């Protein structure tokens, strides 16, 4: 990545437009543990994705192999079978979008931001805010980041293509997120 970290590839195939292809079964990327996803304050996660089908995990970080453990700092960016974008903190969804937001076969930039001052978590599609909710507490987790892989007791891995996965230690403003979308969409449209 841009910070010199080496990703471990398991089955995922490099594709055009700087995207990776995932088969939905056993393909994923692993980025070594880092303080960069220790979300104790503001953050932004953004990814371009083109789903073969919905109900697939995008990006997640877990502190152990049991999503049902007592640890509450794990997080997951996910699209459910209802084609909604979810941002989960262990224990339940904390930000959701409208139904049928994600369309199979269509590139979209999906993102989640948190402005810690008010604890507001917002989901985004193509630089447009979709839903917001207040969230109390931190999402501190420095474990390895997995891209495209489903946890053992979650349903299915990512099937499709994904690129431009980006994590920032600050909550982007609406204008910044729109600019990020515009600056990178040429690769995926």
């Amino acid at each position: 990545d841009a910070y010199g970290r080496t990703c471990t590839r398991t089955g995922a195939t490099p594709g055009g437009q700087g995207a990776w292809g995932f088969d939905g079964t056993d393909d994923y990327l692993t980025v070594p543990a880092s303080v960069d996803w220790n979300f104790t304050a503001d953050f932004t996660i953004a990814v371009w994705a083109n789903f073969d089908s919905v109900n697939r995990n995008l990006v997640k970080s877990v502190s152990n192999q049991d999503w049902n453990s007592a640890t509450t700092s794990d997080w997951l960016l996910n699209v459910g079978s209802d084609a909604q974008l979810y941002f989960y903190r262990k224990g339940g969804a904390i930000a959701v979008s409208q139904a049928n937001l994600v369309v199979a076969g269509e590139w979209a930039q999906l993102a989640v931001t948190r402005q810690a001052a008010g604890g507001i978590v917002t989901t985004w599609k193509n630089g447009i805010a979709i839903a917001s909710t207040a969230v109390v507490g931190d999402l501190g987790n420095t474990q390895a980041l997995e891209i495209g892989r489903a946890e053992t007791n979650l349903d299915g891995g990512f099937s499709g293509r994904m690129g431009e996965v980006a994590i920032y230690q600050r909550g982007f403003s609406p204008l910044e997120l729109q600019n990020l979308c515009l600056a990178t969409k040429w690769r995926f449209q």
Side-chain angles (χ1 to χ4, degrees):
D1 71 4
Y3 296 97
R5 288 185 286 267
T6 301
C7 298
T8 302
R9 176 174 58 100
T10 303
T13 54
Q17 304 159 304
W20 288 87
F22 300 83
D23 68 6
T25 304
D26 56 5
D27 291 358
Y28 62 96
L29 302 173
T30 304
V31 185
S34 172
V35 297
D36 291 338
W37 27 95
N38 187 20
F39 301 143
T40 58
D42 297 358
F43 66 84
T44 298
I45 303 169
V47 58
W48 279 94
N50 186 324
F51 289 77
D52 290 340
S53 61
V54 294
N55 194 25
R56 299 295 183 232
N57 301 308
L58 288 175
V59 181
K60 71 178 179 119
S61 175
V62 295
S63 63
N64 56 45
Q65 293 300 310
D66 183 4
W67 188 253
N68 294 317
S69 74
T71 304
T72 60
S73 60
D74 298 345
W75 56 266
L76 167 69
L77 182 60
N78 174 265
V79 172
S81 59
D82 52 7
Q84 291 189 85
L85 177 62
Y86 291 88
F87 183 71
Y88 286 94
R89 173 185 187 168
K90 189 177 288 182
I94 57 176
V96 298
S97 68
Q98 66 209 34
N100 301 312
L101 178 75
V102 176
V103 178
E106 175 184 288
W107 279 106
Q109 184 200 52
L110 304 173
V112 61
T113 59
R114 180 171 76 175
Q115 303 292 340
I120 303 299
V121 173
T122 304
T123 54
W124 303 77
K125 179 182 178 187
N126 296 333
I128 298 169
I130 304 301
S132 295
T133 191
V135 176
V136 177
D138 102 44
L139 295 166
N141 187 325
T142 59
Q143 299 301 311
L145 181 73
E146 294 179 332
I147 301 170
R149 183 178 185 191
E151 183 58 45
T152 304
N153 52 355
L154 294 175
D155 186 25
F158 178 75
S159 179
R161 294 177 294 152
M162 188 183 332
E164 295 286 333
V165 177
I167 297 176
Y168 303 90
Q169 285 287 330
R170 63 188 187 83
F172 277 27
S173 71
L175 182 59
E176 287 175 307
L177 209 46
Q178 290 167 4
N179 286 339
L180 179 63
C181 180
L182 292 173
T184 55
K185 80 180 224 176
W186 64 271
R187 289 188 183 110
F188 306 105
Q189 301 294 311

